[in-house]
Amino acid sequence: MNQLNSDIARVKECIDGANRVFVLTGAGVSAESGVPTFRDAGGHWKKIDPYQVATPEAFERDPAFVWKWYDERRVQLNTVDPNPAHYALAQLEKEKEDFFLLTQNVDDLHERAGSVKLAHIHGKIWEVRCMREGTAWEDHRAPFPEIPPRCERCGELVRPNVVWFGESIDTDAVESTERYLSKGAVDVALIIGTEASFGYITHWATRSIGPSGLLVEINPGVTDLSSSADICLRGPAGEILPLIIPA
């Protein structure tokens, strides 16, 4: 048995015996469904300056330009489907009562695969928020009939309900994560498809594990979290997760 197979067997055994499981996913999971990442070659920020489309100042300056970019992303998301990694994590949730998934992704692929116990730390691209009232709601129209879209109640502009540069991460997601982690250490933490380049991601990942817990990274490449992980499974999540969590 090679090292990868041996590590997969160990992780599977630990998950089988685990009560509390924490999962954190990043752009790499959605990328396997065909959703572009942000910083990789061919990613969004290689094609456009993020400060032109992902800041409050950019929206104030030219809301139509910003919304055109987000509208194109929403249309593209309608062409992709959850991949085996999404379905494996939804299956894991069904098997573990004490389960929580935190995702950096703004798409709804986890939900479409069946995940329920999750939070989006960077917001949701299928939600819009009224610039006057501050209320947010789901709107799955893609493309929008009018760019930029407006609130049907008050006529004010609405914005994508995602976290932009210079803004705080989603408060509800932070509270949900803190509430889950405050209940005690988890038995297994799976950190999947993220470069873990944000301090709060590495903080939650390492904090979640107790003395006997297992911190597992699933990623094709080395990340900022790799040196802290107990096991690093190198490869696509869509190939590795079904081996650990069979349907």
Side-chain angles (χ1 to χ4, degrees), residues 8 11-12 15-16 190 216 218 233 240-246:
I8 287 174
V11 174
K12 185 178 185 305
I15 288 179
D16 287 345
L190 301 175
V216 181
I218 301 175
L233 300 177
I240 291 177
L241 281 173
L243 300 177
I244 299 170
I245 313 159

Side-chain angles (χ1 to χ4, degrees), residues 68-208:
K68 184 176 183 296
W69 188 75
Y70 277 93
D71 199 45
E72 291 172 353
R73 285 185 64 193
R74 287 158 58 101
V75 169
Q76 192 272 337
L77 283 171
N78 271 338
T79 69
V80 303
D81 296 303
N83 64 62
H86 295 107
Y87 287 111
L89 292 174
Q91 176 64 32
L92 182 60
E93 179 184 314
K94 293 177 183 177
E95 297 174 359
K96 305 296 177 181
E97 182 176 350
D98 203 348
F99 174 97
F100 184 70
L101 190 159
L102 179 66
T103 184
Q104 296 174 254
N105 301 328
V106 298
D107 59 63
D108 63 344
L109 293 175
H110 281 302
E111 287 93 338
R112 287 166 57 190
S115 291
V116 177
K117 298 178 182 179
L118 79 163
H120 290 257
I121 195 65
H122 293 153
K124 301 177 181 180
I125 199 170
W126 292 112
E127 286 186 353
V128 297
R129 187 166 82 239
C130 179
M131 296 296 291
R132 176 179 297 161
E133 300 174 355
T135 53
W137 63 92
E138 286 192 359
D139 190 327
H140 285 261
R141 290 178 294 171
F144 273 111
E146 176 189 24
I147 296 292
R150 293 184 174 273
C151 178
E152 293 184 358
R153 290 187 296 273
C154 69
E156 181 59 84
L157 287 171
V158 298
R159 58 161 281 180
N161 196 29
V162 298
V163 176
W164 283 333
F165 288 95
E167 295 183 327
S168 300
I169 53 180
D170 187 89
T171 303
D172 290 339
V174 171
E175 291 177 354
S176 295
T177 304
E178 289 293 335
R179 188 162 52 247
Y180 178 77
L181 295 180
S182 68
K183 294 191 297 182
V186 304
D187 300 307
V188 177
L190 301 175
I191 316 301
I192 309 165
T194 174
E195 295 179 356
S197 55
F198 297 115
Y200 49 86
I201 298 300
T202 55
H203 168 72
W204 279 324
T206 54
R207 173 186 156 198
S208 67

Side-chain angles (χ1 to χ4, degrees), residues 37-51:
T37 60
F38 289 89
R39 294 177 176 82
D40 291 344
H44 289 303
W45 301 154
K46 300 297 183 181
K47 301 175 182 178
I48 191 170
D49 181 349
Y51 289 92

